[in-house]
Amino acid sequence: MHDDHDHHDHDHHHDNHYSDMQARVKALETVLTEKGLIDPAAIDTIVDTYETKVGPRNGARVVAKAWSDPDFADWLRRDATAAISSLGYTGRQGEHMRAVFNSDDTHNLVVCTLCSCYPWSVLGLPPVWYKAPAYRSRAVIDPRGVLAEFGVTLPAEKKVRVWDSTAELRYLVIPQRPEGTDGWSEEQLADLVSRDAMIGAGVAAVPGIAA
Ligand code: FE
């Protein structure tokens, strides 16, 4: 289903050329390096960390703990930044977090209408579709239509709340715990929680059906 979204990305990549955006980034990096303002090796380390080491598994562990431990869920509601930090997930673009809990009444969906603000510390780097103009505008105008494209159909009476991320505040959606998971360990529960579910573009997997 992600293919339906990826084609909205209009950064064209040619074999021997940078896209406009890549060229701009490269030029900026060169200028900043020449002026001694940044260390390219440090930037490579940051990119590598978020591409390969920090991913949605962090967020899935937060969700699994919230499902398993009511005190932790409570803390997450009151002070998500502190609760998430207690599990060791801190750092860039995760400094100010808010957890929004799906319920029988409400489904939450996260977007950044301005750019691509995203909770790196719990989800890693954002997927291409999250940064695409089509998602950023349509998530607000027609959230149910967007959800349908992700394969999520909600009952008509369920409210959809859309949260607009900013540089100051990032959101993590806590999906509803699926039925039939009583007594499951946090590790087992975490396997049911996809990245999309924590953006609100999906729901937690039902046991026995592949995520
Ligand atoms: Fe943004």
Side-chain angles (χ1 to χ4, degrees):
M1 65 186 156
H2 294 145
D3 292 344
D4 292 342
H5 291 268
D6 287 346
H7 77 258
H8 293 305
D9 178 36
H10 292 294
D11 267 351
H12 297 286
H13 298 275
H14 304 288
D15 284 345
N16 299 311
H17 296 91
Y18 290 124
S19 68
D20 286 354
M21 184 56 80
Q22 285 171 322
R24 280 164 188 249
V25 169
K26 205 72 204 162
L28 190 59
E29 188 180 328
T30 303
V31 170
L32 292 172
T33 303
E34 282 171 358
K35 290 187 178 296
L37 293 172
I38 57 167
D39 171 4
I43 294 198
D44 288 346
T45 303
I46 292 167
V47 170
D48 179 65
T49 297
Y50 286 97
E51 275 186 345
T52 63
K53 299 192 182 74
V54 179
R57 189 75 192 173
N58 288 3
R61 291 204 186 92
V62 173
V63 172
K65 191 163 181 66
W67 286 345
S68 309
D69 177 349
D71 289 339
F72 182 79
D74 209 47
W75 191 13
L76 202 54
R77 273 179 210 278
R78 284 184 285 109
D79 186 351
T81 309
I84 291 168
S85 299
S86 77
L87 300 181
Y89 309 139
T90 57
R92 286 179 173 74
Q93 308 226 7
E95 295 92 340
H96 303 286
M97 294 288 310
R98 177 161 174 193
V100 287
F101 287 67
N102 287 347
S103 68
D104 288 342
D105 303 322
T106 307
H107 181 90
N108 296 286
L109 179 67
V110 179
V111 66
C112 176
T113 55
L114 272 182
C115 43
S116 56
C117 298
Y118 191 75
W120 291 9
S121 58
V122 279
L123 297 185
L125 295 177
V128 168
W129 56 260
Y130 185 84
K131 299 183 277 188
Y135 177 75
R136 285 158 40 206
S137 55
R138 290 190 50 226
V140 177
I141 299 164
D142 179 23
R144 280 175 194 276
V146 169
L147 286 169
E149 286 177 33
F150 277 96
V152 178
T153 314
L154 301 171
E157 64 274 16
K158 193 176 260 208
K159 209 171 76 183
V160 181
R161 265 190 101 163
V162 180
W163 300 87
D164 195 356
S165 306
T166 67
E168 282 75 40
L169 194 55
R170 319 288 162 123
Y171 298 93
L172 180 70
V173 174
I174 310 300
Q176 285 185 284
R177 180 172 176 160
E179 305 279 338
T181 56
D182 289 354
W184 284 35
S185 70
E186 286 184 27
E187 276 303 293
Q188 288 174 303
L189 290 170
D191 285 340
L192 301 175
V193 185
S194 67
R195 176 196 67 200
D196 289 2
M198 293 179 282
I199 303 173
V203 294
V206 175
I209 299 172

